[in-house]
Amino acid sequence: MALLDGVAGAAYVGRGLATWRRRPGLMLLGAVPALLVLLVVLAALVALLVNLGDLVAWATPFADGWAEALRGLLRLGLGLLVLVGFLVLTSVTFTAATLTVGDPFYARIWRETEAWLGGPVPTSGLSAWRSVADSLVLVALGLATALGVLLVGLLPVVGAVVGAVAGLAVSGWLLAGELLARPLEARGMDRVQRRDLLRGHRARVLGFGMATQACFLVPLGAVAVMPAAVVGATVLARDLLTRPTSPADPAQTSR
């Protein structure tokens, strides 16, 4: 059941991408801020790659006296973990920054999607200060996640693989939460209420977030997928509010 829900969650990305065919002009508006933020992220990535060798060597002075093969293996694994941590962090900050920079564009995409789905477009929302506070919490979680990925990656043999998979899952969850924030905030739900709702549909939300995150890893994928993810999150938010909560979820059964 959880696997099916995860696949169903990933399908919301496809529903958002279909909007490129129906409303290409509207989606192009949403691609502009994503492209601008992506250029900044790519500049930071290039700087990291150029200095990665020196950074890893500086962080592992204790390995200078090791055999060359062992020292190279350690520093290669650590370098990969630094890149994974960077991707985890930027996946969160990219979404938050893009939604902030392109707020007028994404607000229009959200409103038109709500209107297309039928019914009144919610307008209550939360205060600007509460929205900023929620974004700061998300960035802090992203930093903690990136650090956690690095620590997990230090485990021998399986560390790099486990760290990469865990990073994708956790960053996907955070990404989904950020994308779902607007349609849920517009219905007056604060961060705690949104958290409880998402936990009640964990597999579906995680499937949506991980599919979106995977698309972001494709070159220029974030530019095309970002406006589509806003559409998909709007549809998903409505569905979550009408679907029964999973009784197996410990966050709900413990109440």
Side-chain angles (χ1 to χ4, degrees):
M1 182 63 179
L3 178 60
L4 293 178
D5 274 349
V7 173
Y12 286 91
V13 180
R15 295 180 67 174
L17 288 171
T19 311
W20 275 99
R21 184 180 66 254
R22 296 193 304 267
R23 298 294 307 277
L26 179 65
M27 301 298 277
L28 280 173
L29 286 177
V32 172
L35 179 60
L36 294 176
V37 175
L38 181 62
L39 290 176
V40 175
V41 171
L42 288 177
L45 177 60
V46 169
L48 175 63
L49 290 175
V50 168
N51 296 283
L52 185 59
D54 293 337
L55 177 63
V56 171
W58 170 82
T60 57
F62 56 85
D64 289 342
W66 292 9
E68 183 177 353
L70 187 59
R71 181 176 66 247
L73 183 62
L74 170 69
R75 290 177 173 172
L76 175 62
L78 184 58
L80 290 175
L81 288 172
V82 170
L83 288 177
V84 170
F86 176 84
L87 292 175
V88 170
L89 179 59
T90 55
S91 69
V92 177
T93 56
F94 171 85
T95 305
T98 303
L99 291 175
T100 301
V101 171
D103 183 70
F105 304 119
Y106 296 123
R108 181 177 173 184
I109 293 173
W110 165 71
R111 283 195 299 269
E112 295 206 16
T113 303
E114 291 277 8
W116 165 63
L117 292 173
V121 177
T123 57
S124 58
L126 299 176
S127 69
W129 287 112
R130 174 60 65 85
S131 296
V132 170
D134 286 353
S135 295
L136 291 176
V137 169
L138 182 74
V139 172
L141 289 173
L143 288 169
T145 300
L147 178 60
V149 169
L150 290 175
L151 293 177
V152 170
L154 295 177
L155 295 173
V157 184
V158 298
V161 175
V162 173
V165 173
L168 179 63
V170 176
S171 62
W173 178 263
L174 296 175
L175 175 61
E178 178 70 5
L179 289 167
L180 287 163
R182 180 189 292 276
L184 295 178
E185 283 180 356
R187 291 166 170 82
M189 299 183 70
D190 61 21
R191 183 171 57 86
V192 175
Q193 292 171 318
R194 298 197 308 269
R195 181 199 62 194
D196 290 343
L197 176 66
L198 269 55
R199 285 181 175 178
H201 305 276
R202 195 184 305 272
R204 188 168 292 249
V205 172
L206 187 59
F208 170 70
M210 290 184 67
T212 304
Q213 175 64 40
C215 291
F216 281 6
L217 297 178
V218 177
L220 296 180
V223 176
V225 173
M226 189 63 198
V230 172
V231 175
T234 305
V235 180
L236 176 58
R238 283 210 181 189
D239 289 351
L240 294 183
L241 290 169
T242 57
R243 287 175 57 85
T245 301
S246 171
D249 190 277
Q252 303 296 326
T253 56
S254 61
R255 295 187 173 186

